Amino acid sequence: MNARKTLDIAVLPGDGIGPETVDAALAVVTAALVKYDVAWAPRRLPIGFEALHAVGTTMPESSFERARDADGVILGPVSHNEYPSADEGGVNPSGTLRKRLDLYSNVRPAKTVGGLPSRVPGTMDLVIVRENTEGFYADRTMYAGTGEFMPTPDLAMAMRKVTRAGSERIARYAFALAQTRRKKLTAVHKANVLRMSDGLFLDVMRGVREEFPEVQYEEQLVDAMAALLIRKADDFDVVVTTNMFGDILSDEATEISGGIGLAASLNVGDEHAVAQAQHGSAPTLANQDVANPSSLIGSAAMLLEWISVKFNDERLMSAAADIKRAVEAIVKNPATRTRDLGGVLGTRAFTRAVIERL
């Protein structure tokens, strides 16, 4: 990135605690970028209930277009389960961005933090790479309509979509990531039951494996993997799997490693990336200054890393590393944790502590 270029980030505040955690992330990113003389221009765009009340839809086309044209996107949690039907303007902004920007990889790190009570033996430092555009998710299986349907009032059915092309690109992403870490990749599946769909997924994994001979490769059944995360979490480095399995296992891993309030997440495609907290919008906690903003702060740091590689700008990589170190240092200290981690700080005080550490 040219040193004179202003970093263009689209900011979608979301619902519930979304605006509060977004404010925290923006404040921390601003403090980090100032150190490296990086100019940036975060642009707030309406989505969620704010947009629904103003223009009749939770995902205005103008907000999507500006997000699409930005260098990256920071997305606050949304209350999509509370939205009206799509016919009444209730569109899931997260799902829309993932589909329309082709964000095929959801990257979720899980790492134990010193000082927090250990929930498993040993330490955890792994990344779950989740296929993001296919699988069991009803809004991602059909060109038109939904992958869930009811032939009769007493029968509900769901379709699962796994393609060779989708499996190949998530496989290459995961293998390439493992190559930069401890060079071990675990593919998680249920091919003993889902013989065709997970069979295709594994067939692709084994083929792509030949392109990365230096990466140790193994396979685990999803039910065994759920147990192994509890019993032997330190055995794993990068884990790759299909959409629903990845969603569930990543929530388990982040809860084990310290709590979902710390769980960063990045949705990645070839041309776009969206930083998104792993947790929900927690509307009952909104506007009380109690939300832990660590997840979205960490997600914003992951976005800076992605942009750093895209534009070959080491300043952004350094800023991201500073943010991660600062959050970890503050979380290690019981006196500067948020309440969900047994501390006393609110959202704003925690954010100030991170900025002071920076």
Side-chain angles (χ1 to χ4, degrees):
M1 185 172 69
N2 188 300
R4 290 172 292 181
K5 171 180 166 58
T6 297
L7 189 62
D8 178 20
I9 301 296
V11 179
L12 311 177
D15 306 303
I17 62 172
E20 297 167 81
T21 55
V22 162
D23 285 346
L26 296 183
V28 170
V29 169
T30 297
L33 293 182
V34 164
K35 292 178 59 179
Y36 296 97
D37 194 29
V38 176
W40 81 312
R43 295 183 293 163
R44 292 179 182 267
L45 307 172
I47 62 165
F49 280 117
E50 175 194 2
L52 181 67
H53 297 150
V55 297
T57 175
T58 54
M59 188 67 201
E61 187 64 19
S62 58
S63 294
F64 170 78
E65 290 175 356
R66 294 187 70 185
R68 178 198 60 203
D69 296 338
D71 296 323
V73 180
I74 295 175
L75 171 64
V78 293
S79 300
H80 64 90
N81 283 338
E82 308 302 321
Y83 292 169
S85 67
D87 291 342
E88 298 174 302
V91 179
N92 182 356
S94 175
T96 298
L97 289 168
R98 293 180 188 195
K99 287 188 293 184
R100 295 184 64 184
L101 297 182
D102 202 18
L103 306 175
Y104 59 84
S105 181
N106 183 218
V107 185
R108 293 182 167 183
K111 181 180 179 181
T112 50
V113 177
L116 282 177
S118 177
R119 293 173 175 161
V120 294
T123 60
M124 174 187 286
D125 183 5
L126 59 83
V127 179
I128 294 181
V129 177
R130 163 193 171 201
E131 203 292 317
N132 214 19
T133 60
E134 300 184 345
F136 277 119
Y137 284 74
D139 65 339
R140 272 157 254 186
T141 57
M142 306 283 283
Y143 170 73
T146 174
E148 283 191 313
F149 52 96
M150 295 183 70
T152 76
D154 301 313
L155 173 61
M157 302 183 72
M159 296 175 59
R160 186 187 198 217
K161 173 184 173 184
V162 175
T163 68
R164 184 172 297 277
S167 299
E168 282 180 350
R169 62 184 185 178
I170 199 67
R172 288 197 173 89
Y173 187 96
F175 272 105
L177 179 60
Q179 210 167 23
T180 68
R181 289 173 49 89
R182 301 194 304 276
K183 295 183 171 58
K184 181 179 179 181
L185 181 68
T186 304
V188 176
H189 64 97
K190 192 66 175 172
N192 58 330
V193 175
L194 300 167
R195 294 183 181 275
M196 291 187 181
S197 53
D198 268 3
L200 174 59
F201 176 73
L202 287 182
D203 181 62
V204 170
M205 287 291 152
R206 293 164 186 166
V208 175
R209 173 190 184 183
E210 303 302 318
E211 303 172 20
F212 298 86
E214 65 277 24
V215 175
Q216 178 188 349
Y217 174 76
E218 67 175 7
E219 297 168 359
Q220 293 287 352
L221 289 168
V222 64
D223 40 353
M225 188 67 189
L228 290 170
L229 283 176
I230 297 170
R231 186 155 45 90
K232 301 173 66 177
D234 51 359
D235 276 4
F236 300 101
D237 179 21
V238 176
V239 177
V240 62
T241 189
T242 51
N243 203 336
M244 183 173 287
F245 293 160
D247 198 1
I248 296 167
L249 289 175
S250 59
D251 279 358
E252 180 192 6
T254 51
E255 184 62 30
I256 289 169
S257 66
I260 202 165
L262 301 174
S265 174
L266 188 69
N267 300 293
V268 181
D270 291 333
E271 301 295 331
H272 305 278
V274 176
Q276 180 179 16
Q278 195 168 320
H279 57 72
S281 61
T284 59
L285 302 180
N287 303 313
Q288 298 179 45
D289 191 38
V290 297
N292 182 351
S294 299
S295 178
L296 195 58
I297 293 171
S299 303
M302 292 178 70
L303 179 63
L304 292 181
E305 290 174 335
W306 182 84
I307 298 172
S308 171
V309 173
K310 182 178 181 180
F311 290 117
N312 191 28
D313 190 334
E314 286 297 323
R315 299 175 302 165
L316 301 181
M317 190 69 73
S318 297
D322 287 352
I323 291 171
K324 291 182 177 181
R325 282 192 295 265
V327 170
E328 185 166 341
I330 297 304
V331 170
K332 279 183 178 180
N333 183 353
T336 53
R337 293 176 188 157
T338 48
R339 296 173 197 177
D340 60 309
L341 300 177
V344 298
L345 296 190
T347 310
R348 291 188 290 270
F350 179 86
T351 304
R352 288 194 296 270
V354 173
I355 290 171
E356 290 169 6
R357 182 76 184 191
L358 282 169

